Amino acid sequence: MADTAPVMIWMTGTDKLCNYFNKSWLEFTGRALEQELGNGWAELLHPDDLQLCIETYTTAFDTRRSFTMEHRYRRFDGEYRWLFDTGIPRFHSNGSFAGYIGSGIDITEQKQMLQALQDSEARLRLTLDAARMVTWDWNITTNNVVDYNPMEPLCDLPLGCNEHTFEAFLDAVYFEDRDRVVAAIKDAIDNKKDYEVEFRLVSPDNALHWIGNKGQVYYDQTGKPVRMVGVGMDITDRKQSEQKIREQATWLDVATDAIIVRDLENKIVFWNR
């Protein structure tokens, strides 16, 4: 039965020495059973993991406790693979200690996927930091909002840094913009479309910050909205630039309302309204 199991199985006696390895283990290592017996199995441990592995095993053995650990183990092709190792003490029917039995599972792909995910999250955080953005997650069912990666000046606003309710977020929105924000959210939920709106948030010192919010609504199997996830970006600088452009355009309109053109003899040859 052990030889047909899809995991690597090992067993020891009361002397801490291994006295059994199943077929899966031997196929993984590419070695004969005689090479693995006793402490022979330790020859394939990654040098950087050897000390911790031995200490974990010895401590658990001496206290008769189960243990789990992750370590790198050399496969038959020379590649070190990550194993999730589990050990459990065995006892005879009379309660006397009989040794340990354990299993090893190759988790290399899972470790690689986790590392890739962590790298991706790190790149995302750098992108969000550079763009001065906050990601948020609104649980519509519980009405709880969680903000991630808060950045200045968003961190000083009621929007950022921790968990809060949707009402707390709405209270921080400038009163003139609240109806527009609520309408945009309702439109996104009712019509199953992306949520996008620009509004002003009031900071604790009563300063106004323009925020650009984008999000997407998620629904359960019954079509009930359960979650909205999105990003918020401080667009105050952009809004201020747009305001300056509008002011300059206004002054230009005023200035060009009174134009007089004279010729070299100082005679008026053209005027506008």
Side-chain angles (χ1 to χ4, degrees), residues 43-171:
E43 297 172 0
L44 302 182
L45 277 169
H46 192 285
D48 293 343
D49 300 338
L50 177 61
Q51 186 63 32
L52 179 61
C53 185
I54 297 298
E55 289 178 357
T56 300
Y57 170 70
T58 301
T59 301
F61 197 100
D62 291 341
T63 57
R64 307 294 192 260
R65 293 180 179 178
S66 301
F67 69 87
T68 60
M69 60 179 169
E70 297 179 3
H71 59 78
R72 286 161 290 184
Y73 207 67
R74 194 172 73 231
R75 196 168 59 181
F76 65 88
D77 58 359
E79 178 184 352
Y80 280 101
R81 305 284 291 181
W82 279 99
L83 296 186
F84 181 76
D85 208 351
T86 302
I88 301 174
R90 298 183 296 117
F91 298 92
H92 294 297
S93 57
N94 61 5
S96 60
F97 178 61
Y100 267 71
I101 186 170
S103 63
I105 301 175
D106 189 338
I107 60 169
T108 305
E109 278 71 27
Q110 293 92 317
K111 295 281 285 188
Q112 291 172 343
M113 290 174 61
L114 178 61
Q115 184 61 51
L117 178 61
Q118 291 173 341
D119 293 342
S120 177
E121 290 177 344
R123 289 192 294 270
L124 176 60
R125 283 195 297 271
L126 289 174
T127 302
L128 293 174
D129 289 349
R132 298 165 68 187
M133 298 175 70
V134 168
T135 57
W136 49 265
D137 190 338
W138 174 30
N139 186 323
I140 299 176
T141 303
T142 64
N143 209 32
N144 191 51
V145 182
V146 180
D147 299 316
Y148 302 97
N149 200 61
M151 288 294 298
E152 297 288 353
L154 296 181
C155 193
D156 289 336
L157 303 176
L159 172 67
C161 299
N162 50 25
E163 297 186 13
H164 52 81
T165 64
F166 175 75
E167 285 75 18
F169 155 72
L170 205 57
D171 287 342

Side-chain angles (χ1 to χ4, degrees), residues 185-201:
I185 293 174
K186 186 177 185 302
D187 183 41
I189 293 176
D190 293 346
N191 298 302
K192 296 186 177 181
K193 58 190 292 188
D194 289 342
Y195 158 71
E196 185 171 355
V197 67
E198 296 179 355
F199 57 89
R200 287 162 291 184
L201 277 180

Side-chain angles (χ1 to χ4, degrees), residues 20-46:
Y20 173 79
F21 293 90
N22 73 337
K23 183 179 179 181
S24 295
W25 184 287
L26 300 178
E27 289 178 344
F28 180 89
T29 62
R31 307 209 310 175
L33 175 63
E34 292 73 22
Q35 293 176 284
E36 301 294 287
L37 296 178
N39 288 323
W41 61 273
E43 297 172 0
L44 302 182
L45 277 169
H46 192 285

Side-chain angles (χ1 to χ4, degrees), residues 238-266:
R238 194 199 82 195
K239 283 292 188 178
Q240 290 174 344
S241 297
E242 291 176 352
Q243 180 62 29
K244 289 180 180 179
I245 292 174
R246 285 193 296 269
E247 291 174 353
Q248 290 172 354
T250 300
W251 280 107
L252 181 60
D253 289 341
V254 172
T256 55
D257 274 350
I259 294 180
I260 297 176
V261 180
R262 298 174 182 270
D263 62 12
L264 295 178
E265 297 178 356
N266 205 29

Side-chain angles (χ1 to χ4, degrees), residues 132 151-159 172-174 177 198-212 233-237 239-240:
R132 298 165 68 187
M151 288 294 298
E152 297 288 353
L154 296 181
C155 193
D156 289 336
L157 303 176
L159 172 67
V173 176
Y174 188 53
D177 301 340
E198 296 179 355
F199 57 89
R200 287 162 291 184
L201 277 180
V202 184
S203 64
D205 59 358
N206 292 321
L208 293 180
H209 295 260
W210 275 98
I211 305 297
M233 181 177 182
D234 187 334
I235 58 173
T236 305
D237 292 344
K239 283 292 188 178
Q240 290 174 344

